Amino acid sequence: MNRTKMVEKQATLARTAQERPEHQFTNLYSLMTWDYWLDCAAQKVLARPGSSTAGVDGKTRDAFREEYEAQVQRLRASLKDKTYQPEPVRRVYIPKSDGKQRPLGIPALRDRIVQEALRAILDPIYESDFMPDSYGFRKGRCTMDAIAVIMPLTNERTKHLYAIEGDIRSYFDTVHHRKLMTLLRRRIKDRDLLGLIWKFLRAGVMEGRLVARTDAGVPQGGIVSPLLANIYLHEFDVWAERRWNVTPQEHQRRRYQGHGNYRMVRYADDFVVMSSAGIADVEATKQDIRDFLANELHLELSESKTVITHVKEGFTFLGFHIQKVCSEGRWVTHLRPPEANKDRVKRRIKELTGRNWTWMDEHTRLTSLRAYPTSGMEPAVPLSGLWTEADHGTATSG
């Protein structure tokens, strides 16, 4: 019953957002104190395996469940009288495929519940605004949906033969807080809800026993972080849409004039811009992208990782290698796992099937193999439930 009420309210928010693109929402914070709203958020967070991972307060779902009603009531009361203050996130690191480490911020369990309640308010509003070519952490969308857009662009008719492989330097650590709040105010006119988001942004990070201020960024690991990250980069999507989403007539005219056409596909902070233009035009466009991100969003492209590649050379996006090759007298585009990923998986499978694993029964060994991630990296902490893959699509493996 509670879940039904929440879905109905979310549908109302989504419908208003769709029908009134300029509407600014008010009186949203009160939803955070509704009995069923917070209860649904708590049940959803506690159902995730990641709720067994503690934040800085050391509390996990078992301790929360022991006095569930009292815990939820205290949380609701602090939100109602506006005394709620999130704890700093606990900083942990997981290995990346390039040998470096990715920082994660694990919120306290109570803060994850409040973030889930907040996400449930914001998501139906902003999902109505997001562009079709944005795929990361959105409900019903995954990496293969993004790949499916790119593949036809390389055919002989459209001839998008150059790819600008975009890499934003330390994106989740460099999101400009005040710029993000400015963008949120375009849709949200509820000072209390905006104040709650600001508290989460400035809650700080605890590493070991030291607490550091957070003057920029959204923590990778926070439930609401992927949504806030998408809201921020939505401005990039709008900029690209205005420049490159032209009529069919304009599309043809640009081709005849030798300017070519462009299409951007974005998955969270990973993006590729495909182009049918010549190399000089593509290089100029790469500079335009760099200038827009720097001047409007205070973001920096990585010089070494943001490159222009011809599809015949091949490029990697979202863990897939895309390359145009001549096969049996005709050009076709292949989609395959990168060699480095295949080698890494082969090594791990060899380890899991070696003689030192003979003590393990067949069922357990198969379960271990099936659970092994394609990236070849094992996380240092349970991540399920920290990021909301189930609600926003499939995360990349990089």
Side-chain angles (χ1 to χ4, degrees):
M1 182 63 180
N2 284 351
R3 179 62 183 163
T4 302
K5 289 181 179 179
M6 175 181 268
V7 171
E8 289 174 351
K9 182 60 179 178
Q10 288 178 314
T12 301
L13 292 173
R15 187 164 51 250
T16 302
Q18 290 170 358
E19 295 174 355
R20 302 167 65 185
E22 305 301 321
H23 178 69
Q24 291 182 299
F25 289 82
T26 59
N27 198 30
L28 294 174
Y29 185 84
S30 61
L31 293 174
M32 301 289 298
T33 63
W34 288 9
D35 290 350
Y36 69 81
W37 202 274
L38 205 57
D39 182 63
C40 284
Q43 293 293 344
K44 195 164 188 177
V45 170
L46 293 174
R48 294 172 179 147
S51 60
S52 61
T53 304
V56 297
D57 59 359
K59 294 181 180 179
T60 64
R61 63 183 171 197
D62 292 335
F64 195 93
R65 281 173 171 166
E66 284 179 4
E67 46 176 10
Y68 176 83
E69 291 297 334
Q71 293 272 21
V72 173
Q73 286 299 332
R74 282 197 291 269
L75 204 51
R76 182 180 295 111
S78 67
L79 287 167
K80 197 166 187 176
D81 61 20
K82 301 182 180 62
T83 59
Y84 169 80
Q85 182 63 46
E87 302 276 2
V89 297
R90 180 165 68 91
R91 173 62 55 82
V92 297
Y93 295 89
I94 60 171
K96 296 172 65 175
S97 57
D98 59 4
K100 297 180 181 180
Q101 290 189 312
R102 184 192 307 278
L104 287 182
I106 303 177
L109 185 61
R110 62 191 285 274
D111 296 335
R112 276 176 252 171
I113 292 170
V114 175
Q115 284 196 30
E116 175 58 36
L118 179 61
R119 186 202 64 78
I121 295 171
L122 297 177
D123 195 58
I125 295 172
Y126 284 98
E127 183 61 32
S128 304
D129 292 346
F130 290 153
M131 294 295 182
D133 284 340
S134 164
Y135 292 91
F137 303 108
R138 294 180 62 188
K139 195 170 185 177
R141 290 169 172 245
C142 66
T143 53
M144 285 309 300
D145 294 326
I147 296 296
V149 174
I150 293 174
M151 295 294 284
L153 294 174
T154 64
N155 64 32
E156 289 302 304
R157 184 176 63 84
T158 54
K159 293 184 178 180
H160 285 62
L161 301 181
Y162 282 106
I164 303 174
E165 303 174 58
D167 185 275
I168 300 173
R169 191 189 304 276
S170 302
Y171 171 63
F172 283 90
D173 296 328
T174 56
V175 170
H176 194 278
H177 287 174
R178 295 195 180 279
K179 179 66 177 182
L180 174 59
M181 297 304 295
T182 298
L183 298 176
L184 286 165
R185 289 189 190 97
R186 293 180 183 175
R187 268 303 206 179
I188 310 299
K189 202 176 180 180
D190 186 320
R191 294 181 62 183
D192 292 329
L193 195 78
L194 292 171
L196 180 61
I197 296 171
W198 182 255
K199 285 182 179 181
F200 277 118
L201 293 175
R202 311 296 276 196
V205 174
M206 177 175 282
E207 190 164 354
R209 294 180 177 274
L210 298 176
V211 177
R213 288 179 55 187
T214 44
D215 296 323
V218 292
Q220 294 191 63
I223 287 176
V224 78
S225 294
L227 177 57
L228 295 178
N230 269 336
I231 291 171
Y232 199 79
L233 281 179
H234 174 65
E235 294 305 296
F236 185 28
D237 298 336
V238 171
W239 178 81
E241 179 87 358
R242 288 172 178 166
R243 285 174 62 101
W244 302 322
N245 186 20
V246 297
T247 64
Q249 294 77 13
E250 178 67 12
H251 197 280
Q252 288 295 329
R253 189 180 68 81
R254 288 175 62 87
R255 289 188 65 178
Y256 290 142
Q257 293 178 345
H259 297 308
N261 293 285
Y262 292 82
R263 178 84 176 265
M264 184 173 79
V265 177
R266 183 176 67 82
Y267 192 102
D269 59 324
D270 293 325
F271 69 90
V272 165
V273 177
M274 302 296 297
S275 176
S276 60
I279 185 63
D281 199 271
V282 175
E283 288 175 343
T285 297
K286 177 185 170 184
Q287 184 60 47
D288 290 343
I289 292 171
R290 177 183 288 107
D291 292 343
F292 172 81
L293 291 175
N295 298 333
E296 298 298 326
L297 296 179
H298 311 281
L299 299 173
E300 181 182 358
L301 284 181
S302 169
E303 289 294 332
S304 60
K305 295 181 180 179
T306 302
V307 296
I308 298 172
T309 310
H310 197 282
V311 292
K312 291 181 181 179
E313 299 172 19
F315 64 95
T316 299
F317 184 53
L318 303 179
F320 295 95
H321 189 70
I322 301 168
Q323 186 172 15
K324 197 161 189 175
V325 299
C326 188
S327 177
E328 298 180 356
R330 63 191 184 95
W331 288 95
V332 295
T333 303
H334 285 178
L335 178 68
R336 291 174 176 162
E339 290 299 321
N341 283 11
K342 290 192 289 185
D343 291 342
R344 197 158 54 242
V345 171
K346 286 177 183 177
R347 286 196 302 270
R348 185 56 175 155
I349 290 175
K350 189 173 182 179
E351 292 173 10
L352 291 174
T353 54
R355 290 185 178 182
N356 58 327
W357 287 76
T358 54
W359 58 269
M360 184 183 291
D361 64 85
E362 182 178 300
H363 174 76
T364 305
R365 191 184 300 193
L366 287 172
T367 301
S368 299
L369 287 168
R370 291 181 64 186
Y372 178 65
T374 56
S375 67
M377 306 308 296
E378 294 179 286
V381 295
L383 303 183
S384 178
L386 302 181
W387 286 90
T388 50
E389 292 94 338
D391 298 315
H392 297 86
T394 304
T396 64
S397 62

